[in-house]
Amino acid sequence: MEKKVAIAGFRIAAAPDLETTRERLVFDLSKGLLDDLGITRDAVDNFVFCSNDFMDGRTISHVFIGPAAGGYMKDQTKVEMDGLNAMIYASMGIISGQYDVTMVVALSLTGSQASPYLYTDYSLDPTYDRQLKLLNELSAAALEARSYLTAGGYPEELLDVVAAQDLKNAAANPGQARRIDGVSRERIKGSPYYYEPLRELHCYPPTDGGCAMLLVSEKKAKELTDKPVWLLGMGRSTDIYYLGDRDLSTSLSAAQAAERAYAMAGIKDPASELDLAEIMSLFAHQEPLLAEAMGLLEKGKAAAAYEAGDTAVEGRMPINPSGGPLGAHPICATGLIRAAEAARQLRGEAGENQVKKAGVALAHGQDGVCAQQSAVVILGT
Amino acid sequence: MEEIKDTFLHPVVPLDFQNNYRVGAYLQRYLDGFKEKKILGAKCSQCGRVVVPPRKYCGACNLVMEEFTELPQEGTLENFTVGHVNLEKGQWKRADAPYVIGMVRLDGAANAMLARLNVSPADARAGMKVKAVWKDQVEGEHADLDCFEPA
Ligand SMILES: [Zn+2]
C-alpha cells in the first residue's frame, strides 16, 4: 500500500481512577495533542469518536464529548466498537481524499464510573444468553482459555508466564494503569480465581482512560512531524455470534483480519518481517492465542517461545512491549492505544521498553465475546 | 481557592429502558417443546446439520432451515469452567461454593450449548457423557431445563 496516511501524534491516559469527567478527559487528550504539534483545532477537518452509550449512560454520547475535543462546527462521526475500528474508518476518509487531518478520540471511564462487565452483558442475546445468566465476559474468556490450553497441550502455568511478562512491561510503562513493582509468577498464581483457569492477575484491570490520535495525509505529514508513522495495511473480520458454534481454541477473526492486513502491506512471513506486535489480549491466554492465529508464533509452540524469551522486549518477536491490556483496558480505547504504543516504538520513544530494531509493527484490536470481531493494522516508518 | 470536593451523582432519570423482546417463531417452538420436556433443534436440508436452540438460517449454507427435529437428552461435556464468582449487574461477588458450567454438545447436534452442570468441580471432566435434568414442573421457560448431570 502507498504511504497515504500517517500518525502525526497521539496522547494516552490510563489509571484505575483518573478523577476526571469524560469531557475533561477528552479535552485534555485532544488539546494536549494539538499543543504537542503546535496547531489549533482550525487545522483539523474531521473528528471521529469512539465511545459507548451504555458506558457513558446517555444516548448519542459523542454529542457531549465532540465539543470538548474542539469538534464543534466540524464533521463528526462515532464508531461504537473498539477504537482500532475508529482508526481504520478515519483512515479511509483520508485515503479517499476527502480529508487531510482527522482527530480520533476514544475513551471510557470503566475504572471509576461504570462497570466494564456490563459492556459485554448488554451485547448478549436478550432472549437466550441473558435469560440463562451463565454467559458473561469472564465465564466466556475462561472457556476460551481452557479450550486453547487443551488444544495446544499447554499447562495452566502458561497463563502465569504470559501475565508475568506483560505486567513486568506494564510496570516500566508510565502510560499504564496497573503497575506492580516486581510482580512474580508466584504472586500471579496466588491471585484468586474468577472462573478457572483465569485468576485476577490473568485478567485486565477495570480502567479509566482514553487515547487521542491525529491521522494526516502525506502532504500534511511533511508539515506536522519529523517522525511520521505510516499505515501500511489494515484488515477486519467478524466471526460467528454464537459461542457454541465457534472453535474457541483459536481466533478466526484475528487470522482473517491479519491476513487481509498482511496482503495490503505486502507481508509474506509475518513472524520474520514484523519487529513487534501490540495485541489486544484482555486475558493472559488471548495473547499467545491471538499471536498464533495471526502467524506471529508457531501453533503449539507458544509456551516454548515465552520461556525462551522470544516474546520479551529484547526477544525475536516482542509481543506487547507496552505491557498490553493487562496493564490497562479502557473499553473503546484499548485497540487504538495498541496502535499508539506501536507508533511509540516505531518513533523510538518507548523508553525502558524500547525494542532495538523497530521498523514494522502490528496492532490488533477486538470487540465482542472472545474476540468475535478483530481489527488489525500494520504500521511502519 | 478552597479545594472543591468531587461528588458522584446517580442520574435522577436512570437508564432503565424496559425493552421487551419477541422471541420469534423458532425460539418459541423450542420453548414450547420444553412443556413436553423435549429439546428441539433446526435441521438444514442441504448439509444436514442440526443446531440447538433452533434458528432460522444455516450459517454454512445460507439457507432457511424449515425442519424441526427432536434431539436426544444426552450429550458430551466438551469444555467447562469452575466458577468462583457470580456476576450480577456488572458486579462480581464470590460464589458461596465453586460450581461448574460448560459447553454441552447433545448427541447429533452441530453446535454446543452453555449449561449448568450438577457435578462437583473435582469430578468434572471434558469428554464425559451427560444428560439433561428437568424441573419437576415445566412451564415452557428457559429455566425448565435445569442443568445436566453425569449420564
Ligand atoms: Zn446447511
Side-chain angles (χ1 to χ4, degrees):
Chain A
M1 189 178 145
E2 289 175 63
K3 291 178 172 178
K4 285 189 172 163
V5 181
I7 299 172
F10 54 85
R11 281 250 179 158
I12 298 171
D17 182 355
L18 281 170
E19 297 183 19
T20 190
T21 65
R22 292 163 178 85
E23 293 80 2
R24 183 78 211 183
L25 172 61
V26 167
F27 175 80
D28 288 346
L29 287 168
S30 42
K31 180 66 165 65
L33 178 51
L34 293 174
D35 290 348
D36 290 345
L37 295 163
I39 56 174
T40 67
R41 77 176 201 94
D42 294 336
V44 183
D45 50 23
N46 184 29
F47 287 77
V48 176
F49 299 105
C50 185
S51 64
N52 180 275
D53 289 0
F54 278 109
M55 297 288 104
D56 285 352
R58 56 195 176 197
T59 58
I60 324 170
S61 61
H62 75 291
V63 302
F64 297 90
I65 58 177
Y72 48 97
M73 304 304 179
K74 304 270 187 178
D75 202 339
Q76 279 185 28
T77 39
K78 186 175 89 166
V79 172
E80 188 147 338
M81 299 172 82
D82 173 66
L84 203 62
N85 294 291
M87 183 189 169
I88 289 176
Y89 170 62
S91 298
M92 291 182 203
I94 294 172
I95 293 167
S96 75
Q98 189 174 5
Y99 303 110
D100 278 312
V101 181
T102 297
M103 174 79 83
V104 185
V105 188
L107 77 149
S108 72
L109 296 182
T110 40
S112 68
Q113 300 189 27
S115 157
Y117 308 120
L118 280 178
Y119 179 72
T120 300
D121 280 356
Y122 283 125
S123 77
L124 300 176
D125 182 347
T127 63
Y128 188 70
D129 286 316
R130 272 158 73 186
Q131 302 292 324
L132 268 53
K133 290 176 74 174
L134 299 172
L135 191 63
N136 58 58
E137 186 176 19
L138 297 175
S139 65
L143 289 166
E144 183 190 41
R146 184 78 83 195
S147 183
Y148 171 69
L149 293 176
T150 304
Y154 299 126
E156 207 174 305
E157 284 68 28
L158 175 61
L159 305 182
D160 306 328
V161 174
V162 173
Q165 179 186 286
D166 280 339
L167 292 174
K168 175 174 175 267
N169 291 345
N173 181 353
Q176 290 282 24
R178 176 155 71 189
R179 301 175 68 202
I180 311 168
D181 276 334
V183 66
S184 63
R185 291 181 191 180
E186 291 67 35
R187 171 148 176 208
I188 292 162
K189 202 176 175 49
S191 66
Y193 275 127
Y194 287 153
Y195 288 86
E196 293 180 30
L198 292 179
R199 299 173 181 276
E200 183 191 344
L201 290 178
H202 298 144
C203 304
Y204 71 80
T207 310
D208 281 1
C211 180
M213 180 180 280
L214 200 75
L215 295 172
V216 297
S217 63
E218 189 178 7
K219 181 180 68 180
K220 287 286 175 184
K222 293 200 175 92
E223 290 173 28
L224 290 173
T225 177
D226 299 331
K227 293 181 183 174
V229 170
W230 299 99
L231 177 66
L232 304 179
M234 55 192 180
R236 305 174 62 201
S237 177
T238 305
D239 198 352
I240 301 168
Y241 174 84
Y242 303 98
L243 210 61
D245 284 31
R246 288 169 54 185
D247 176 3
L248 293 178
S249 73
T250 183
S251 173
L252 186 62
S253 71
Q256 291 188 341
E259 194 182 329
R260 288 160 195 169
Y262 296 152
M264 196 181 275
I267 287 175
K268 297 195 168 49
D269 180 11
S272 65
E273 290 179 61
L274 292 170
D275 298 316
L276 68 113
E278 281 288 333
I279 298 177
M280 188 169 158
S281 45
L282 301 177
F283 305 92
H285 70 278
Q286 286 188 343
E287 193 180 276
L289 185 159
L290 293 163
E292 286 183 8
M294 295 190 288
L296 306 176
L297 296 176
E298 205 178 324
K299 280 220 162 122
K301 302 275 176 66
Y306 275 87
E307 285 294 357
D310 289 353
T311 53
V313 169
E314 61 281 359
R316 280 194 305 124
M317 183 67 248
I319 296 179
N320 282 333
S322 71
L326 292 198
H329 174 37
I331 292 172
C332 294
T334 309
L336 188 64
I337 291 176
R338 302 278 68 72
E341 289 286 6
R344 198 202 300 279
Q345 287 282 349
L346 296 171
R347 287 158 60 125
E349 296 170 352
E352 267 188 65
N353 291 343
Q354 181 64 47
V355 169
K356 279 225 176 66
K357 177 192 158 290
V360 187
L362 173 149
H364 164 270
Q366 63 153 297
D367 212 77
V369 176
C370 300
Q372 189 202 347
Q373 192 267 338
S374 278
V376 170
V377 299
I378 307 297
L379 302 170
T381 49
Chain B
M1 199 176 105
E2 204 183 329
E3 199 183 325
I4 300 166
K5 199 171 173 296
D6 260 0
T7 27
F8 283 105
L9 292 180
H10 294 293
V12 177
V13 182
L15 192 72
D16 62 353
F17 292 100
Q18 178 65 53
N19 297 101
N20 297 314
Y21 293 90
R22 285 190 195 282
V23 298
Y26 280 58
L27 203 55
Q28 190 64 59
R29 282 284 292 271
Y30 177 73
L31 292 173
D32 286 347
F34 277 18
K35 290 178 187 164
E36 299 165 43
K37 298 189 178 178
K38 286 181 177 173
I39 304 174
L40 296 178
K43 185 173 182 179
C44 175
S45 62
Q46 182 160 302
C47 68
R49 292 184 337 132
V50 177
V51 295
V52 56
R55 59 182 97 112
K56 193 166 181 178
Y57 283 89
C58 172
C61 307
N62 198 25
L63 281 179
V64 174
M65 294 190 279
E66 287 172 342
E67 187 186 337
F68 288 85
T69 180
E70 188 186 345
L71 282 152
Q73 310 250 330
E74 296 194 359
T76 306
L77 178 64
E78 293 199 327
N79 185 10
F80 68 95
T81 176
V82 178
H84 293 255
V85 296
N86 285 302
L87 265 80
E88 189 71 43
K89 292 187 175 171
Q91 305 298 321
W92 62 260
K93 286 202 184 85
R94 289 270 143 219
D96 296 333
Y99 59 94
V100 182
I101 59 173
M103 306 299 279
V104 172
R105 188 185 297 263
L106 295 175
D107 294 340
N111 64 333
M113 53 204 292
L114 187 58
R116 201 169 64 79
L117 275 300
N118 184 22
V119 59
S120 79
D123 295 333
R125 295 280 176 276
M128 75 194 292
K129 299 297 288 179
V130 293
K131 63 174 191 226
V133 179
W134 296 89
K135 289 234 166 87
D136 292 337
Q137 288 285 328
V138 287
E139 316 270 354
E141 295 170 350
H142 284 293
D144 294 346
L145 180 51
D146 190 41
C147 62
F148 283 79
E149 65 181 17

